[in-house]
Amino acid sequence: QVQLVESGGGLVQAGDSLRLSCAASGRTFSRYTMGWFRQAPGKEREFVAAIIWSGGYTYYADSVKGRFTISRDNAKKTVDLQMNSLKFEDTALYYCAASSIVVSTMKNEYEFWGQGTQVTVSS
């Protein structure tokens, strides 16, 4: 069992940066692929980024590639999402999630979810 709590969201202007953090509890955190998803009003929840259990491989949605960076610290049981050059279209509720599948961009393959943190980017 993994419990996840996101933090770091807020209101920023286009072009600004923001760093989201996800704190996990549970002894098996290091076994999971960790991902970030987001959901804008009226839209489906979509994949943003993920990092495998060792931190040795990361993958991103095309819409954020080159602007966002995901990282993890297994000793601290945290996973972060550094978001640079934010755009209005990045506005969404951002979720942290954990998956037993090594490489996954599918939300139904993530077993544990946080409550989300709101990111609002003004244009």
Side-chain angles (χ1 to χ4, degrees), residues 4-10 20-23 35-39 45 92-97 112-119:
L4 304 170
V5 179
E6 304 94 336
S7 62
L20 305 184
S21 187
C22 174
W36 285 94
F37 288 75
R38 67 187 182 186
Q39 188 167 16
R45 190 172 300 188
L93 188 60
Y94 282 71
Y95 295 92
C96 175
F112 305 105
W113 292 83
Q115 292 301 305
T117 185
Q118 178 68 38
V119 173

Side-chain angles (χ1 to χ4, degrees), residues 101-113:
I101 297 174
V102 176
V103 178
S104 176
T105 64
M106 306 296 291
K107 59 181 181 289
N108 61 357
E109 293 179 341
Y110 282 76
E111 298 134 80
F112 305 105
W113 292 83

